[in-house]
Amino acid sequence: MKHSTSVPQANAPAEVPIRPIASETASETCKVGTPEKGMVNRRTFLAGAAGTALLSAMHQRTGWAEESPNTTVVNLAKVASASSLYISGDTKLSALNDGVAPEASNDNRSGSFGTWPRLDPQWVEYAWTTPVTTNKVDLYWWIDGAGVGAPAAYRILYWNGSEYVPVANPQGQGTASNQFNSTTFDKVTTSRLRLELTSDGKLSPGILEWKVYSTGPVPLFPPAVNAGIDRAVVLGGKTWLAGKADWLVDGAENRVRWSKESGPGRVTFADSTMTDTTATFSESGEYVLKLTAVGDKENTSSTLIVQAEPGPPKERLNVVYTTRYAIDNPLWNERAKTLIVSWIPHCAAQCERTDLAQGQGGLDNFIEAAKALRGEPHERHKGYVFSNAWVHQTVESMCIALMVDPQGDADIIAAQEQMKATLEKWIPIILAAQQPDGYLQTAYTLADRRRWPERWSPEHRGNHEGYVSGYFIESAINHYTLTDGEDLRLYNAAKKLADCWVANIGPGKKDWFDGHQEMEQALVRFGRFVNDMEGNGRGDSYIVLAKFLLDSRLGGQEYDQSHLPPVRQYEAVGHAVRATYFYSGMADIAAETGDRDYQSAVISLWDNMVNRKLYLTGGIGSGETSEGFGPNYSLRNEAYCESCSSCGLIFFQYKLNLAYHDARYADLYEQTMYNALMGAVDLKGQNFCYTNPLVNTLRTPWHVCPCCVGNIPRTLLMVPTWSYTKGPEALHVNLFIGSRVNVGKIAGTDVQVVQKTDYPWSGAVAITLRPDEPKTFSVHVRVPNRSTSKLYTETPAVSGLKRLSVNGHPVPVHIEKSYAVITRRWHAGDVIELELPMEPQRVAADPRIKADTNLLALRYGPLIYNVEVADQHNLDQPLSSTPLKAEWRPDLLGGVVVITGTWQDGTPMLAIPNFARMNRVEPPHVETAGDASVNYAPGASNAAATAKPLGSTNPPASAGHRAWRERKIESKVWMSSTV
């Protein structure tokens, strides 16, 4: 379903369960009233039976609302709480009574309430803490022209104390577009008013605004107040406060005031009498800020928490670029070989196919675009407008795979020879599709100019111009390092493309932001690389443009994170891939510029994501919004966790590690890498996961939207980059992967690092340093902390180091930011040896994660474990309290450490690593997966693609996906912990 607004928004998956969401903390709970606009669906709305039960309890309060002599007609919805039977995840209940009058029925810029894709009878209702009297409502229907519309019919019912009954003598009940539809009825006094909506069988009902008018004396409700969401702030920066206070009746006595309720230092408000203002803080620590609203009769208040903390070091760490390296690790050797020998060649072959019915649009689009540029007859563009992405990703994946030392493996050598030939074939074809000024997107080149007349036009913001360009630029970096800078074809073409954007976009030129972020982080990555390769600030203009693109994200929606300026975003919302790419770019800019407000927003977003919205596997995106985040603590185990979002989260955490020199960010990207991402491709390298739920997993050879196919291998194979960062006088060891890596210059000399370990199967690690010349510098070795996220608690606690030595001699353990730091003069052959404690752990979730109530999970080192029916007959019974053991099983799943124990009935329990899940079941007999309830390309120009718009997977793939989702549970992370 495509939303026809200037900033497109996608649809939520079908059958999203809606349940009451508890407040995060007592400090976030309004004492009276409803939350601010845009907050209800993520924090305090009531829904379903539980909501009804609570509202029923409210109705039993004694007494009526005090009435004023004022008989002015007011909108009672302003102080109502909304709930519904169902709500599509990319809409929100707070839109119903936010007081914003739409300009048209497709104007959902301020939010909307929708029930897509449901066509069955639905209801939505208002509730008041004390009864109100009304005889009229106004309804502005949401009609987006692509699946959401006015109902065929609707009824208005009220709660009479024991049941819902229709209002008497309703008059109006219109369904006209682009206007409020008024309905009058006989006066009722009630604490609940409900709309029953009946679809026409084609459109799912949607509402932009619902007003309820008073009749008679106006009840004296206290003002509704919401201070906003918790966040962090970096000292020296400011936080933007956007509270809300609503009164039923305007009056001179109505006013607000911000104040400090608690905290270690001084808080300075720009204007404490305005709901929208800024605040700064004098000292580090936790602060509670209070917004108080004063009315005629009663004051009410709401609070939020601000964590003030020091900023990152002035200088960021430096990237260790992926150059030629060797892997020496049982797990990583197998995974890398599978990707190089099987998966990447499969992706390349798929990109060369011209007969795909789904997920089409590969190399053929570049061939046709080149014809168009030469003025020759050509075919139309195939596939989604962003189909260039998986070609560029596959190019980068091949480049990285060619940098892996085959170490005599005949299969890898053969695959690499084929990749060399493929690159030589592809590169001229791709470059021939680049326009003379450097612009590159085949969908635009091949588009009908009557429908897509110009580049970077707001009405075509959903066409992924920056998304595909960013992937091309990133592919050029690893092609450069593969060839040691001797083949500059892609590098020069990437500079030409980046220069084209710089020439056309920026202050005094064109304002622009892309519907799907990627160009921002690509420009910073490329700008750094160009500066490192060429010097003289040659790449600075790319970094400046990246910030401009970020700052230009205004006036849109949460779906693509354009609802607020970057520095005012404190909660992870919307499409999870777009979000992590956005936050990664923000983290880059914060590190490059030292902008304290950017740093404050970045660390707030990180805190919200990691401590409220992160799955135990390191995945993100519950899928309750369109391919995105749900409310805080709403982490259903039928998760979305798109593979690309795992890649994006790794990028984001890595950028924070560069900025803060702090190992906790590496802890988290290791968690994501070993679980949510490593298992995205099956053990044979023949199928992949688009989504990575914590129950079952669907893998297929291809997807209707194959955006992840090249992203997975290009991310996993950049081992040197994820394993190490460096400073002028320091090396940081972030991952423990047996390998041989040249990390570049430290303290003025080139250093090679050799790791010997079979981690994560055991905790013994040997790190041999080989500097070209003896030099003094510091080595920072990460000491893993498995409890970085506050969402999960492991038992028993496992932390620290069992031993640490240099050249066989124990050394004191000096910890800085979770790194063990060793400073000395290093000679070639010096060896650091350490042992990490490794033992099975039981994991419990924060009680606010309702999906995991009375459940536990298993962990060993960085690995999360699944139980599967292949190993035990009953996954529903509780796990016993008998001790757990870790055992090496060379005969199982290519060789893994399993966790063994017993179930409550005494039968053996065996758990396998999450990455190896679902490799012993028959895959679905479909080549291409796709979920018809998901819009993979909202806002994209259909004129630029022959692919059907979203949700248009053909019947076999769609049916296969549904059948897979409905099959019995064969593998899961969380198991019962109680009898």
Side-chain angles (χ1 to χ4, degrees):
M1 179 176 71
K2 190 182 82 162
H3 296 264
S4 49
T5 59
S6 61
V7 179
Q9 176 177 342
N11 300 310
E15 302 300 322
V16 178
I18 300 297
R19 55 178 176 79
I21 306 300
S23 296
E24 295 174 24
T25 63
S27 66
E28 285 188 330
T29 305
C30 295
K31 296 180 180 177
V32 177
T34 57
E36 67 170 289
K37 172 183 171 184
M39 301 295 292
V40 173
N41 71 315
R42 300 194 301 278
R43 234 170 227 93
T44 57
F45 71 82
L46 305 171
T52 302
L54 179 55
L55 294 177
S56 178
M58 288 179 177
H59 175 69
Q60 295 172 18
R61 290 177 51 182
T62 59
W64 295 72
E66 184 180 352
E67 296 179 347
S68 78
N70 186 350
T71 58
T72 303
V73 176
V74 298
N75 179 14
L76 297 167
K78 293 170 66 176
V79 292
S81 296
S83 62
S84 64
L85 175 63
Y86 173 84
I87 180 171
S88 51
D90 52 351
T91 67
K92 51 192 178 185
L93 285 158
S94 61
L96 292 167
N97 57 348
D98 62 9
V100 178
E103 295 181 3
S105 283
N106 65 354
D107 176 19
N108 67 335
R109 288 172 296 176
S110 294
S112 54
F113 164 79
T115 59
W116 190 88
R118 299 289 288 270
L119 301 175
D120 54 330
Q122 296 292 313
W123 59 259
V124 58
E125 73 174 30
Y126 282 148
W128 292 267
T129 54
T130 53
V132 297
T133 303
T134 181
N135 63 354
K136 180 184 176 182
V137 302
D138 274 354
L139 286 159
Y140 207 115
W141 301 109
W142 180 27
I143 304 172
D144 76 341
V148 174
Y154 63 96
R155 294 197 306 164
I156 304 171
L157 302 94
Y158 71 99
W159 180 253
N160 69 3
S162 59
E163 61 180 339
Y164 287 96
V165 295
V167 297
N169 299 317
Q171 302 293 320
Q173 296 179 287
T175 57
S177 62
N178 303 323
Q179 66 180 55
F180 277 104
N181 292 266
S182 297
T183 298
T184 60
F185 44 87
D186 290 354
K187 180 173 66 174
V188 297
T189 300
T190 184
S191 61
R192 282 180 263 172
L193 199 66
R194 173 176 288 194
L195 297 176
E196 284 189 354
L197 308 171
T198 302
S199 167
D200 64 0
K202 299 178 181 179
L203 299 176
S204 302
I207 305 172
L208 294 176
E209 194 74 14
W210 174 20
K211 298 180 180 180
V212 177
Y213 294 104
S214 65
T215 181
V218 177
L220 290 179
F221 279 89
V225 187
N226 188 276
I229 62 174
D230 295 349
R231 76 283 303 274
V233 64
V234 170
L235 293 177
K238 55 184 172 293
T239 192
W240 271 265
L241 301 169
K244 185 172 182 180
D246 272 326
W247 292 263
L248 269 183
V249 180
D250 293 333
E253 69 281 1
N254 297 345
R255 58 189 186 277
V256 298
R257 183 181 67 257
W258 283 101
S259 60
K260 185 188 94 169
E261 186 164 86
S262 64
R266 184 179 65 259
V267 179
T268 303
F269 298 95
D271 187 341
S272 63
T273 66
M274 300 292 291
T275 53
D276 283 26
T277 188
T278 61
T280 57
F281 303 81
S282 64
E283 297 179 27
S284 298
E286 182 177 286
Y287 294 79
V288 177
L289 305 186
K290 181 165 67 173
L291 176 63
T292 302
V294 179
D296 182 45
K297 287 283 185 178
E298 190 173 349
N299 297 348
T300 54
S301 62
S302 171
T303 60
L304 61 81
I305 294 173
V306 180
Q307 183 68 42
E309 57 185 64
K314 184 177 180 180
E315 300 295 331
R316 63 168 172 83
L317 293 173
N318 294 318
V319 175
V320 171
Y321 294 111
T322 295
T323 56
R324 296 180 184 275
Y325 71 100
I327 302 174
D328 180 19
N329 177 275
L331 172 59
W332 281 89
N333 278 112
E334 283 300 313
R335 288 277 72 196
K337 180 174 181 177
T338 297
L339 295 173
I340 294 168
V341 172
S342 299
W343 184 248
I344 297 174
H346 167 72
C347 294
Q350 291 289 96
C351 288
E352 291 186 349
R353 287 179 61 178
T354 60
D355 61 339
L356 287 173
Q358 295 178 300
Q360 67 270 53
L363 203 63
D364 46 0
N365 282 330
F366 292 91
I367 294 171
E368 298 305 318
K371 291 179 183 177
L373 291 177
R374 293 193 298 267
E376 300 172 5
H378 56 84
E379 299 294 326
R380 295 179 64 191
H381 189 270
K382 289 184 179 179
Y384 287 121
V385 291
F386 52 87
S387 60
N388 292 170
W390 39 96
V391 175
H392 298 320
Q393 292 170 353
T394 302
V395 167
E396 186 172 10
S397 295
M398 288 189 286
C399 291
I400 301 169
L402 285 168
M403 289 188 275
V404 177
D405 188 340
Q407 300 178 85
D409 187 299
D411 294 333
I412 295 178
I413 291 171
Q416 289 178 329
E417 288 302 315
Q418 183 58 50
M419 288 179 192
K420 292 176 186 176
T422 300
L423 284 175
E424 285 308 304
K425 173 185 175 182
W426 283 22
I427 289 174
I429 292 173
I430 293 170
L431 296 185
Q434 187 171 29
Q435 295 191 7
D437 68 349
Y439 183 90
L440 179 59
Q441 188 192 25
T442 64
Y444 174 78
T445 300
L446 294 171
D448 184 337
R449 285 291 163 267
R450 294 169 297 179
R451 299 186 177 182
W452 190 357
E454 63 176 343
R455 306 177 297 194
W456 307 298
S457 56
E459 60 270 25
H460 296 289
R461 207 179 291 285
N463 283 352
H464 291 65
E465 291 170 88
Y467 178 77
V468 299
S469 297
Y471 279 130
F472 175 71
I473 287 171
E474 292 195 279
S475 73
I477 296 173
N478 277 309
H479 183 257
Y480 183 106
T481 58
L482 166 66
T483 65
D484 295 322
E486 295 181 2
D487 184 344
L488 298 177
R489 288 177 295 172
L490 289 185
Y491 179 75
N492 286 336
K495 285 201 297 183
K496 189 176 182 181
L497 171 57
D499 289 340
C500 171
W501 280 63
V502 169
N504 287 278
I505 298 170
K509 305 169 191 174
K510 180 170 286 192
D511 291 334
W512 176 253
F513 69 87
D514 206 72
H516 196 311
Q517 301 89 325
E518 156 60 9
M519 188 59 158
E520 301 85 352
Q521 66 174 358
L523 284 169
V524 179
R525 182 183 174 194
F526 192 56
R528 288 170 175 167
F529 186 76
V530 171
N531 282 340
D532 288 344
M533 296 304 107
E534 300 185 25
N536 300 317
R538 173 65 177 83
D540 288 351
S541 63
Y542 307 148
I543 298 172
V544 171
L545 176 59
K547 186 175 188 300
F548 180 83
L549 294 175
L550 292 171
D551 290 339
S552 297
R553 301 191 78 81
L554 300 169
Q557 297 175 353
E558 289 183 354
Y559 172 75
D560 64 1
Q561 298 79 42
S562 60
H563 58 298
L564 290 169
V567 294
R568 299 185 66 170
Q569 295 193 35
Y570 304 124
E571 180 178 10
V573 297
H575 188 281
V577 183
R578 299 174 194 236
T580 52
Y581 282 21
F582 179 45
Y583 305 154
S584 174
M586 288 177 62
D588 279 330
I589 292 302
E592 293 300 320
T593 65
D595 188 306
R596 292 303 200 197
D597 296 335
Y598 256 86
Q599 291 168 353
S600 297
V602 165
I603 206 64
S604 295
L605 292 163
W606 177 87
D607 175 73
N608 179 261
M609 190 189 314
V610 168
N611 293 317
R612 293 168 179 83
K613 300 188 179 185
L614 181 73
Y615 280 94
L616 181 60
T617 56
I620 51 171
S622 63
E624 291 162 272
T625 58
S626 185
E627 300 194 275
F629 295 102
N632 292 334
Y633 307 105
S634 184
L635 294 167
R636 57 183 186 160
N637 289 310
E638 298 79 7
Y640 206 79
C641 292
E642 183 182 336
S643 293
C644 279
S645 69
S646 295
C647 297
L649 184 55
I650 290 169
F651 305 155
F652 180 42
Q653 303 281 12
Y654 170 74
K655 307 298 179 57
L656 289 171
N657 178 260
L658 287 176
Y660 280 85
H661 311 192
D662 194 323
R664 62 177 174 168
Y665 305 111
D667 289 330
L668 290 165
Y669 72 68
E670 178 189 64
Q671 180 178 347
T672 302
M673 189 171 293
Y674 274 98
N675 300 287
L677 189 60
M678 184 172 282
V681 174
D682 68 7
L683 296 181
K684 294 180 179 179
Q686 298 174 350
N687 300 280
F688 87 106
C689 305
Y690 185 88
T691 62
N692 296 269
L694 279 68
V695 292
N696 291 356
T697 285
L698 172 64
R699 294 191 184 95
T700 56
W702 207 240
H703 196 274
V704 66
C705 177
C707 56
C708 304
V709 295
N711 214 3
I712 297 165
R714 79 167 184 137
T715 303
L716 285 174
L717 289 177
M718 282 201 293
V719 169
T721 298
W722 312 132
S723 295
Y724 303 103
T725 55
K726 62 182 181 178
E729 308 290 333
L731 172 70
H732 289 67
V733 181
N734 286 329
L735 296 183
F736 305 109
I737 300 174
S739 57
R740 183 181 70 251
V741 173
N742 294 312
V743 298
K745 289 191 182 297
I746 301 174
T749 189
D750 286 316
V751 179
Q752 184 183 80
V753 184
V754 178
Q755 282 197 49
K756 183 71 175 178
T757 180
D758 67 355
Y759 181 90
W761 305 137
S762 73
V765 181
I767 303 169
T768 301
L769 300 175
R770 295 175 179 170
D772 283 356
E773 304 173 35
K775 291 287 183 177
T776 299
F777 56 89
S778 298
V779 177
H780 299 238
V781 180
R782 181 172 67 94
V783 180
N785 176 4
R786 312 296 182 199
S787 300
T788 300
S789 171
K790 299 174 184 176
L791 290 173
Y792 306 103
T793 303
E794 293 83 10
T795 305
V798 177
S799 61
L801 296 173
K802 295 179 73 172
R803 59 185 175 89
L804 178 67
S805 66
V806 175
N807 297 332
H809 301 289
V811 296
V813 179
H814 171 63
I815 302 294
E816 294 180 9
K817 295 186 176 180
S818 295
Y819 288 104
V821 183
I822 306 171
T823 303
R824 55 172 281 149
R825 187 171 180 83
W826 297 98
H827 297 77
D830 284 346
V831 181
I832 301 170
E833 292 181 287
L834 61 138
E835 185 172 359
L836 306 171
M838 304 278 285
E839 62 178 290
Q841 295 174 290
R842 288 175 167 87
V843 184
D846 187 297
R848 288 169 288 191
I849 304 176
K850 301 305 180 185
D852 299 332
T853 300
N854 296 325
L855 301 179
L856 64 81
L858 300 179
R859 177 173 208 150
Y860 178 75
L863 300 172
I864 305 303
Y865 277 68
N866 281 43
V867 288
E868 300 197 326
V869 293
D871 303 304
Q872 44 258 306
H873 69 283
N874 182 4
L875 302 183
D876 294 329
Q877 63 175 312
L879 186 66
S880 77
S881 59
T882 58
L884 301 170
K885 295 181 180 179
E887 299 179 10
W888 171 249
R889 287 283 301 273
D891 59 326
L892 183 63
L893 297 166
V896 295
V897 167
V898 301
I899 295 177
T900 60
T902 59
W903 296 101
Q904 192 67 40
D905 66 0
T907 57
M909 184 283 301
L910 184 144
I912 64 166
N914 174 264
F915 76 80
R917 66 194 183 274
M918 299 291 283
N919 275 277
R920 294 171 291 175
V921 297
E922 183 71 19
H925 297 290
V926 293
E927 181 179 357
T928 304
D931 188 341
S933 69
V934 177
N935 186 347
Y936 298 104
S941 288
N942 293 336
T946 57
K948 297 175 184 177
L950 185 71
S952 59
T953 59
N954 65 19
S958 180
H961 189 96
R962 286 195 303 271
W964 189 261
R965 287 190 306 183
E966 293 166 2
R967 67 187 294 165
K968 69 175 183 179
I969 293 178
E970 296 176 275
S971 180
K972 64 180 182 179
V973 169
W974 293 94
M975 64 197 84
S976 177
S977 63
T978 59
V979 179

